[in-house]
Amino acid sequence: MCDAPAPHAIAPRSGVAFTLDRGQRLTVIDPQGEQVADLLAYNRHDIAEVLSSGRTLDYASRIYLTTGDPLYSNRSNVMLTIVADTVGRHDFLMTPCSKDTFRIIYGDTDPHRGCFGNLAAALAPYGIGPDQIPIAFNCFMNVPIDAATGAITVEPPLSRAGDHITFEAQADLIIGLTACSALQSNNGSFKPIHYRIDTADAA
């Protein structure tokens, strides 16, 4: 058996885009702990079909997703299935952080472009524009909800060094992935994210 390929590294506060073939597995790794990664997926053959928070949560009838859960597109097709998860707490409610996030929430006068800007830049070579960026599946993000009031809070991720989540592609995809840029989401610091692509047989 061949050794697993070495993971790719995403530098703090940056993002990448790449293709994933149907049947391949994407493992997103938090190498240091308490670091969020924003994940997007598009149908490689028709980029108007994109990962959908609304469809996925509707069909799951719950907001916390983990091993065995499918992630649906805006056309109700399964794009990814979670096949392994060492954390069990991720967010599919909050939009990628952006310049406006930092301006409105943090009061920054010279805001970072955030995950939104990083994703837009990384996905541009695939013909995907900023208005085509939906809510991301935020790996490792921890957003509790008050059952009585509906209030949401952003708490430190539950992930520890080496924790990971693995997805299996159910279609040929374009993936956008970041090391999140928001202090609040990452317990006050910025760290890298690693990822690895395997065939299903090798995973």
Side-chain angles (χ1 to χ4, degrees):
M1 180 180 293
C2 296
D3 293 335
H8 303 277
I10 303 175
R13 304 192 97 184
S14 71
V16 298
F18 50 88
T19 59
L20 195 66
D21 295 336
R22 181 176 181 178
Q24 287 187 313
R25 291 187 173 185
L26 168 66
T27 299
V28 181
I29 305 158
D30 185 354
Q32 297 180 25
E34 297 189 332
Q35 174 63 45
V36 169
D38 287 26
L39 171 72
L40 297 179
Y42 298 80
N43 183 328
R44 196 189 313 166
H45 307 294
D46 182 357
I47 59 173
E49 184 171 19
V50 61
L51 194 65
S52 171
S53 169
R55 296 291 180 192
T56 301
L57 299 183
D58 190 6
Y59 303 147
S61 296
R62 53 192 166 80
I63 61 172
Y64 299 130
L65 307 175
T66 188
T67 305
D69 284 321
L71 306 185
Y72 287 87
S73 77
N74 56 320
R75 297 175 182 167
S76 297
N77 297 314
V78 178
M79 303 192 89
L80 295 159
T81 302
I82 303 172
V83 296
D85 179 11
T86 63
V87 179
R89 180 61 66 91
H90 313 277
D91 169 65
F92 213 173
L93 299 173
M94 309 285 273
T95 192
C97 61
S98 66
K99 283 186 174 183
D100 289 326
T101 302
F102 301 128
R103 177 180 59 83
I104 293 169
I105 294 178
Y106 300 116
D108 291 356
T109 56
D110 185 22
H112 188 271
R113 69 183 184 178
C115 286
F116 185 89
N118 287 334
L119 287 165
L123 291 165
Y126 295 95
I128 297 169
D131 287 340
Q132 295 167 284
I133 295 176
I135 293 171
F137 185 83
N138 301 308
C139 305
F140 315 124
M141 191 166 177
N142 181 18
V143 182
I145 298 177
D146 186 296
T149 66
I152 58 176
T153 56
V154 178
E155 301 294 337
L158 302 181
S159 54
R160 298 295 176 258
D163 274 334
H164 61 274
I165 181 170
T166 300
F167 307 86
E168 184 168 320
Q170 304 302 318
D172 295 333
L173 302 174
I174 300 165
I175 299 292
L177 189 63
T178 72
C180 180
S181 302
L183 277 172
Q184 187 178 13
S185 300
N186 305 298
N187 201 18
S189 65
F190 304 120
K191 299 172 288 294
I193 283 289
H194 292 175
Y195 70 95
R196 189 180 68 244
I197 298 172
D198 303 283
T199 63
D201 291 340

